[in-house]
Amino acid sequence: MSGREYVVILFPGTSHAVRAESLLIRAGVDCRLVPVPRQLSSDCGVSVRLQPEDEERALEVLAGAGVEIEGVHTLS
């Protein structure tokens, strides 16, 4: 998952990110936990990184599970 655009989903806390990763993996979405990129926040935190083509499915899964999201960003 490197060398091209990717999507980072930010959450209000680490537990939200861990829960999101678990839900996404169970739903078949390829993702991983990564530190929040510095250009998005100076706070230490964890985000979920995935491919742009998986963004819509990931957001559907998280919304269906009631997971709170702080932001969605596409980076390269």
Side-chain angles (χ1 to χ4, degrees):
M1 287 201 317
S2 63
R4 61 179 203 161
E5 283 191 341
Y6 59 94
V7 173
V8 177
I9 303 175
L10 281 71
F11 302 92
T14 302
S15 63
H16 293 85
V18 171
R19 179 170 177 240
E21 180 196 37
S22 176
L23 290 165
L24 293 173
I25 288 171
R26 279 190 264 148
V29 176
D30 182 28
C31 67
R32 65 179 171 179
L33 290 177
V34 296
V36 173
R38 293 234 182 248
Q39 67 262 42
L40 299 179
S41 175
S42 60
D43 293 337
C44 294
V46 181
S47 58
V48 171
R49 178 176 170 163
L50 50 103
Q51 296 299 323
E53 58 268 19
D54 295 326
E55 179 181 353
E56 185 176 337
R57 175 72 178 131
L59 294 176
E60 289 172 0
V61 169
L62 298 177
V67 176
E68 186 177 346
I69 294 173
E70 280 195 346
V72 180
H73 303 272
T74 301
L75 304 171
S76 54

